[in-house]
Amino acid sequence: MPKEPTKNAWYCAKCREEGQVAARVYDFFCNDERICPDHNMPLVEIDFPYSEYDTLWKISDNVDFMEAMLKLKQDDIIEYETKMAQFRTQVAQMEAAKQTSDHQVTCPYCQSVNVRRISTADRMVSTGFFGLGSRKVGKQFHCNGCGADF
């Protein structure tokens, strides 16, 4: 069973020095000893909730970006919350677009999304003219981009 993330982030200074991506610097699934598995150094808890990290991570895995956002949170909470609201909206739009594209039919030949479903009537007419030699037998979609049936 996967370990649940902690409420706040745990920071490894050595990972940061080595230029690791934010996922290695900020640990949310840390071991019970709160020790960096790479450097065997104690991790330091910081005031950076998992939900905020998760949103920022989807925008960028750059450590400098994460640190700039942490500094902004400490220095100007209003500006930080304004930016976080924008990032949350951006992430929601990215996830909605991904979900839409995951369910969208694409042509296997030209990757176009400009496709239409071949109707039963189209298949019947084609089979009536060409019999079992029809190109539309067993096909469900027609690509308007390259003309392929699939």
Side-chain angles (χ1 to χ4, degrees):
M1 185 161 151
K3 201 172 193 183
E4 288 295 315
T6 61
K7 180 181 181 262
N8 288 324
W10 294 79
Y11 186 88
C12 175
K14 190 72 172 165
C15 284
R16 173 62 177 113
E17 281 177 25
E18 292 179 356
Q20 299 287 341
V21 296
R24 297 299 299 152
V25 175
Y26 302 102
D27 189 354
F28 292 89
F29 300 92
C30 44
N31 52 35
D32 293 331
E33 297 85 33
R34 308 290 192 226
I35 302 290
C36 175
D38 293 340
H39 302 105
N40 203 26
M41 293 179 56
L43 298 173
V44 178
E45 185 174 15
I46 58 175
D47 182 23
F48 196 37
Y50 177 77
S51 60
E52 293 174 15
Y53 164 81
D54 189 47
T55 299
L56 294 175
W57 173 254
K58 290 174 182 171
I59 301 295
S60 173
D61 67 352
N62 185 292
V63 175
D64 293 330
F65 170 72
M66 293 287 186
E67 288 181 354
M69 289 302 293
L70 278 169
K71 183 166 177 18
L72 185 61
K73 183 177 182 179
Q74 294 165 352
D75 296 346
D76 188 350
I77 191 68
I78 295 171
E79 183 66 22
Y80 172 82
E81 285 300 330
T82 301
K83 289 195 181 303
M84 285 302 297
Q86 293 169 350
F87 291 143
R88 287 183 199 106
T89 301
Q90 184 178 347
V91 167
Q93 289 171 345
M94 288 175 3
E95 289 174 351
K98 182 184 181 311
Q99 189 175 31
T100 300
S101 70
D102 285 349
H103 295 7
Q104 193 166 32
V105 176
T106 58
C107 174
Y109 305 106
C110 70
Q111 309 308 316
S112 173
V113 294
N114 185 9
V115 299
R116 68 173 172 81
R117 184 174 288 282
I118 298 173
S119 70
T120 304
D122 284 344
R123 268 190 246 135
M124 288 174 60
V125 169
S126 180
T127 305
F129 282 122
F130 301 107
L132 293 178
S134 168
R135 291 181 346 160
K136 296 187 178 173
V137 171
K139 311 295 182 176
Q140 294 182 8
F141 296 96
H142 174 79
C143 177
N144 296 323
C146 69
D149 293 325
F150 57 97

